[in-house]
Amino acid sequence: MPDEQMATSGGRPPARSLDDIDRSILRMLQADGRASIRSVAERVHVSRANAYARINRLIDDGVIRGFSARIDQERAGHGASAYITLKIVQNSWRTVREKLQELPGAAHIALVSGDFDVLLLVHTRDNRALRELVLTRIQAMDEVLSTRTLLVFEETDLAEGH
């Protein structure tokens, strides 16, 4: 495999193509990560051994990165959520990503194109904690040129029930 192909896939060989059964398994596991192999097999009409092998292949290929619980942030004590956009110093993405991953309440980080460079989703106890996070932690990073905070008033998890 050419080096550039390996580099773009994180050092792993590219994932094999997915068929309709694989996509059905992924949809089912997104809706319920605790679904049993038996229930997955029954819903997609394959044997338990086939379902088990397919799920393991999806994990080995990096298509499934892990299993987690979807949290109701407000009920979990996080009364404030926000998307924070950041403009950063050119070529500082890896450093900024490492620093952002350490922030309490950081839920999602993306390098994006457009008017800003990074999109960060955070969940905090309240607006005061959000303010402190933005002003004393994020804006204090040497690589961060500017931020903009977008408060989340309401959100819907699209993975539920699909």
Side-chain angles (χ1 to χ4, degrees), residues 17 39 46 59 77 91-92 96 111 139 145:
S17 62
S39 66
V46 298
I59 292 168
N91 297 322
S92 66
V96 170
L111 178 66
Q139 290 182 354
L145 301 173

Side-chain angles (χ1 to χ4, degrees), residues 43-116:
R43 293 264 310 268
V44 300
H45 309 292
V46 298
S47 69
R48 283 189 298 239
N50 188 325
Y52 183 79
R54 283 174 177 267
I55 290 169
N56 281 335
R57 178 179 50 81
L58 292 166
I59 292 168
D60 292 343
D61 284 354
V63 175
I64 295 175
R65 297 181 303 179
F67 297 87
S68 62
R70 288 189 308 273
I71 309 295
D72 181 316
Q73 295 298 329
E74 193 168 353
R75 292 182 65 90
H78 298 126
S81 294
Y83 285 95
I84 303 168
T85 66
L86 294 83
K87 289 186 182 182
I88 61 173
V89 172
Q90 190 172 2
N91 297 322
S92 66
W93 162 241
R94 286 179 180 83
T95 303
V96 170
R97 180 181 58 200
E98 288 174 16
K99 290 179 179 182
L100 294 176
Q101 286 172 321
E102 300 299 318
L103 293 175
H108 184 86
I109 304 165
L111 178 66
V112 297
S113 65
D115 293 336
F116 49 87

